Amino acid sequence: MMEESQMYKKLLVIAAVDVIAGNVDLLSEILLRLPTKSLIRFSIVCKLWCSIITGMQFRLSHCRSLAFSNAISPSGIYFYNCLTYQKIISLPLADNATSLPPLPLLDQFINSSIGGDTVTEFKVTQSCNGLLMCIFTASTTRITIKKGIVYNPANGECCLLPTYKKCDQFVYYNLISDPSEPPYYKVLCVTRMGYGYSDIDVSVYVPKSYSWRSCCHFSAPRMAFDSGVFWNGAIYWISKYSSFYFDVKSEKVAEISMPPRPQGGFTQKIRYFGEWGGHLHLIQVQSRYAKKFNVLELDKDTWKWSVKYHVHLAQLISTFPEMVQQTSYGIQYAFSILSVIRGEKEEDSVLLLTIPGKVVAYNLVLKTAKVVRELPGEVVDTVFFNQVCAYQYTESLVPVSEWTVGPEKSSYQQLSKTSEFLLEKGDLLGTSSEYFFKDA
């Protein structure tokens, strides 16, 4: 009787699996509750799963569900030397992640040809809710122009933006990605007539529009717009003496007051400006190699900057004496700020730093330090301290391009590339996943 009972239970389980597998609506509801990384893996289980996961409506629904459940959070960081834009380093931050998707665009585009134009420079300039803003410089026999690419590293999709009509001006591209509202991403093109000129034009690109729409003009002398940060429904720009933001809904630009600048003759006082977990942070320093500074936060209601954390790296420098470097200018401290990471609990908030040979998480409350990753020698040689660009990686299925062939073919190929990369790294969910991949 016991054997018959166990057999009956097994038959019930098999029957339930068959019902779920054959019911597209029920299967979709189950898949919607899985994280992005699992969906990318499961997209190569079979054609039915692939057609569901790569379907446009499913992907948009998945993005919205993550946004409304506040489940969108960075799981890693890409960083590299701001001066050379070479040797991108990927740094997983999630406990269950051993690697981040590669960024083959940098290798594929440099020294290549697009539409007859030779690409001479390619770099990442911004990250926003799972998408990366990439800029490449293309040279023709007559002019040099900047073009933009929106790229989703999770599934390898990219969208080449149309060339802005006034391409001979100073051009800056900024990315807005909001998974909770259609059209889910937009791109701003900010242009000025020349360096130092105050007349600024802002144009917007929306997916499927295939053109830029001019939306507002304003005045901002000596302001750069290549390091925008999306926060609280707006893109924020900051410089030495002024700060502006572009509100996405009203499509208007306004200026906000800057916090007091630290004293000292050093002019480039902004050491970090970024967002994490709904918080906008700013770090200003008195000197290039200051070991004592404050982390500021902008209040959503009062629009005022206030000191959130006091940082003094004396104990960190004592623990890692390799940070002390004697130069012709005197003693300098070798470190770069990658990110201010806010934890679920206040005592989990850290300052992520690179120091010679290591990535270190400095706890902003407990004042302790933990080595996150050892950096190999060839990487250390390329990290120019104080000149490091860092961009968040967030797993997302948000679509960035229209499929020119059937979604079953193109989407399967795009997602399977990332899945194959995960397989090569041995980063699987378990034996059941291995079984599915084997029979895919």
Side-chain angles (χ1 to χ4, degrees):
M1 293 293 294
M2 182 66 68
E3 292 182 358
E4 291 182 359
S5 176
Q6 292 178 348
M7 180 63 68
Y8 179 70
K9 291 180 179 180
K10 289 182 179 180
L11 290 174
L12 287 179
V13 172
I14 294 174
V17 171
D18 289 340
V19 170
I20 295 174
N23 190 319
V24 174
D25 293 334
L26 183 57
L27 183 58
S28 298
E29 285 298 319
I30 294 174
L31 293 174
L32 275 176
R33 287 157 174 77
L34 296 179
T36 303
K37 191 173 184 179
S38 299
L39 291 175
I40 293 175
R41 293 166 177 161
F42 292 159
S43 66
I44 62 173
V45 167
C46 64
K47 289 185 177 181
L48 175 61
W49 287 37
C50 177
S51 65
I52 295 174
I53 295 171
T54 60
M56 187 67 71
Q57 188 57 50
F58 176 88
R59 295 171 65 183
L60 297 180
S61 297
H62 187 261
C63 293
R64 284 195 297 268
S65 64
L66 288 180
F68 291 132
S69 63
N70 295 320
I72 298 179
S73 60
S75 56
I77 289 179
Y78 297 106
F79 68 93
Y80 58 87
N81 189 339
C82 296
L83 302 180
T84 63
Y85 301 106
Q86 299 293 321
K87 203 70 177 182
I88 283 193
I89 313 302
S90 61
L91 178 66
L93 297 177
D95 293 335
N96 60 348
T98 58
S99 60
L100 301 185
L103 299 180
L105 278 182
L106 284 109
D107 297 326
Q108 293 175 358
F109 277 85
I110 195 67
N111 296 323
S112 63
S113 178
I114 299 179
D117 302 335
T118 301
V119 178
T120 57
E121 182 183 68
F122 191 95
K123 59 184 179 181
V124 180
T125 60
Q126 185 193 353
S127 59
C128 185
N129 288 329
L131 302 183
L132 299 179
M133 184 74 244
C134 305
I135 305 297
F136 68 90
T137 303
S139 299
T140 66
T141 55
R142 295 177 298 165
I143 58 174
T144 298
I145 59 177
K146 287 183 179 179
K147 295 185 178 182
I149 292 178
V150 179
Y151 180 58
N152 187 338
N155 58 22
E157 282 189 5
C158 63
C159 175
L160 177 63
L161 301 174
T163 302
Y164 188 70
K165 59 183 178 180
K166 302 174 183 178
C167 57
D168 57 335
Q169 301 176 1
F170 284 81
V171 179
Y172 309 92
Y173 293 97
N174 290 264
L175 179 62
I176 299 168
S177 177
D178 187 352
S180 64
E181 295 185 10
Y184 308 103
Y185 85 88
K186 298 179 181 178
V187 180
L188 299 185
C189 183
V190 185
T191 61
R192 66 165 73 247
M193 293 301 298
Y195 182 76
Y197 287 75
S198 59
D199 294 333
I200 307 298
D201 175 81
V202 179
S203 296
V204 178
Y205 171 79
V206 180
K208 299 183 182 180
S209 64
Y210 308 109
S211 63
W212 296 95
R213 172 178 55 85
S214 181
C215 62
C216 68
H217 305 270
F218 65 103
S219 178
R222 299 183 302 277
M223 183 83 181
F225 297 92
D226 56 350
S227 58
V229 176
F230 181 65
W231 175 75
N232 197 29
I235 282 282
Y236 290 77
W237 301 287
I238 198 166
S239 68
K240 296 179 184 178
Y241 304 103
S242 58
S243 177
F244 293 85
Y245 72 90
F246 174 88
D247 184 81
V248 176
K249 291 186 177 180
S250 66
E251 294 191 343
K252 294 182 179 179
V253 174
E255 186 174 6
I256 58 176
S257 59
M258 285 286 291
R261 286 166 57 85
Q263 297 180 352
F266 180 59
T267 58
Q268 302 295 331
K269 295 184 180 296
I270 298 175
R271 189 71 181 270
Y272 173 81
F273 179 54
E275 179 272 343
W276 189 283
H279 304 274
L280 188 65
H281 300 113
L282 172 67
I283 295 177
Q284 299 182 112
V285 295
Q286 188 173 9
S287 62
R288 181 183 296 275
Y289 296 97
K291 59 182 178 180
K292 185 179 180 181
F293 49 84
N294 295 323
V295 177
L296 307 179
E297 181 178 357
L298 185 63
D299 187 88
K300 294 181 179 180
D301 300 320
T302 64
W303 299 93
K304 300 294 184 182
W305 290 97
S306 61
V307 176
K308 182 63 178 178
Y309 305 105
H310 297 282
V311 178
H312 199 317
L313 299 180
Q315 183 60 43
L316 183 69
I317 295 171
S318 176
T319 305
F320 302 100
E322 60 268 30
M323 293 176 62
V324 181
Q325 297 187 353
Q326 183 68 45
T327 70
S328 57
Y329 300 98
I331 293 179
Q332 299 177 346
Y333 304 105
F335 70 92
S336 297
I337 300 174
L338 296 181
S339 184
V340 177
I341 299 178
R342 299 292 287 268
E344 294 183 4
K345 298 179 181 179
E346 193 61 33
E347 58 268 24
D348 295 332
S349 298
V350 300
L351 187 67
L352 197 64
L353 306 168
T354 60
I355 65 173
K358 300 176 179 66
V359 178
V360 176
Y362 175 80
N363 192 294
L364 291 165
V365 177
L366 304 178
K367 311 301 181 183
T368 57
K370 176 184 177 181
V371 176
V372 177
R373 178 180 174 180
E374 299 283 346
L375 296 177
E378 63 270 18
V379 173
V380 176
D381 294 338
T382 63
V383 175
F384 191 88
F385 295 101
N386 303 310
Q387 299 290 340
V388 169
C389 303
Y391 304 100
Q392 299 174 5
Y393 168 69
T394 305
E395 297 169 354
S396 173
L397 289 179
V398 60
V400 298
S401 61
E402 290 299 311
W403 296 318
T404 56
V405 295
E408 178 181 304
K409 180 179 179 181
S410 62
S411 304
Y412 183 90
Q413 291 174 340
Q414 289 169 335
L415 291 174
S416 64
K417 288 182 180 179
T418 305
S419 298
E420 288 170 2
F421 170 75
L422 295 172
L423 281 167
E424 290 175 1
K425 297 296 182 180
D427 189 15
L428 296 171
L429 289 176
T431 56
S432 60
S433 297
E434 293 173 0
Y435 172 78
F436 281 125
F437 281 119
K438 187 187 300 180
D439 291 349

